[in-house]
Amino acid sequence: ELYLKRLIVGGLERVYEIGKDFRNEGIDRTHNPEFSMLELYQAYADYSDMMDIAEALYAFVAQKVNGSTRVEYQGQEIDFTPPWPRIPMLEAIGKYGDIDAARSSDADLEAACKRFGSDIESGAERGFLINELFEACVEPKLIQPTFIIDYPIAVSPLAKRHRREEELTERFEIFINGWEAGNAFSELNDPIDQRERLEAQAQLR
């Protein structure tokens, strides 16, 4: 990641890499420690531009591989035709979990997480509670390709602060068939903000 970003700073305004990855992390049925990944960066672009690229790319590949942007998977038809819905995380929690996360107290968010079966630690920071609630009550319901946008700062330390919402970032993740299938954000380029966030993260550890 850092080498690609250096190329952007050095004047190559669009770079990409397709590579094999190994991550020594937890394994489950949707997270394999060995996988292939496409990573790309574009100068002067934000997360809206990246969403346009992502949905066009998925649709193009589906068409090339299957001859259609509609794909049948385990009895479910998935339609990659752009444009895909772009739903703010807080709105998605309201829509699928019937919870007004923006107006809920931290205690109410924690109780809601536990109600949905989460084992999040007591007293967790608000942004983590919101993200945990999203994972518990929204993620499994996102079958058609969907962008979930505007993540809390606490779970997005490298993403630029949202231009209108102080506690959120300009970040998205792609969800298909209940699985995360992509992640991107407007790059944080304020060194003071970045240092403060990384120090806060270190303190939480």
Side-chain angles (χ1 to χ4, degrees), residues 148-161:
I148 296 296
I149 65 173
D150 304 344
Y151 278 59
I153 285 175
V155 296
S156 313
L158 303 177
K160 184 175 275 191
R161 209 175 282 268

Side-chain angles (χ1 to χ4, degrees), residues 98-122:
D98 199 27
I99 297 163
D100 187 347
R103 290 199 171 93
S104 297
S105 68
D106 290 7
D108 288 342
L109 289 174
E110 194 174 311
C113 285
K114 299 224 163 98
R115 201 163 63 245
F116 280 99
S118 167
D119 58 357
I120 194 161
E121 286 180 26
S122 207

Side-chain angles (χ1 to χ4, degrees), residues 13-25:
E13 293 183 357
R14 299 186 186 200
V15 296
Y16 76 92
E17 175 181 78
I18 298 174
K20 290 289 186 186
D21 291 81
F22 178 80
R23 288 185 179 171
N24 188 16
E25 295 178 358

Side-chain angles (χ1 to χ4, degrees), residues 46-48 160-166 168-170 186:
D46 66 9
Y47 75 149
S48 294
K160 184 175 275 191
R161 209 175 282 268
H162 197 282
R163 60 197 79 186
R164 290 183 301 278
E165 304 289 342
E166 182 66 17
L168 302 177
T169 60
E170 294 190 352
S186 301

Side-chain angles (χ1 to χ4, degrees), residues 41-79:
Y41 295 90
Q42 180 178 327
Y44 316 112
D46 66 9
Y47 75 149
S48 294
D49 298 303
M50 289 296 120
M51 284 186 263
D52 293 342
I53 290 170
E55 64 188 3
L57 181 65
Y58 267 96
F60 177 83
V61 171
Q63 184 71 45
K64 283 289 183 185
V65 172
N66 297 294
S68 170
T69 53
R70 290 187 167 89
V71 176
E72 179 103 2
Y73 180 73
Q74 295 185 347
Q76 176 77 50
E77 186 181 76
I78 296 174
D79 186 357

Side-chain angles (χ1 to χ4, degrees), residues 9 20 30 71-72 78 91-92 95 126 129 153 180 191:
V9 172
K20 290 289 186 186
T30 63
V71 176
E72 179 103 2
I78 296 174
E91 188 181 306
K95 180 178 178 181
R126 184 175 181 81
L129 291 169
I153 285 175
E180 182 206 331

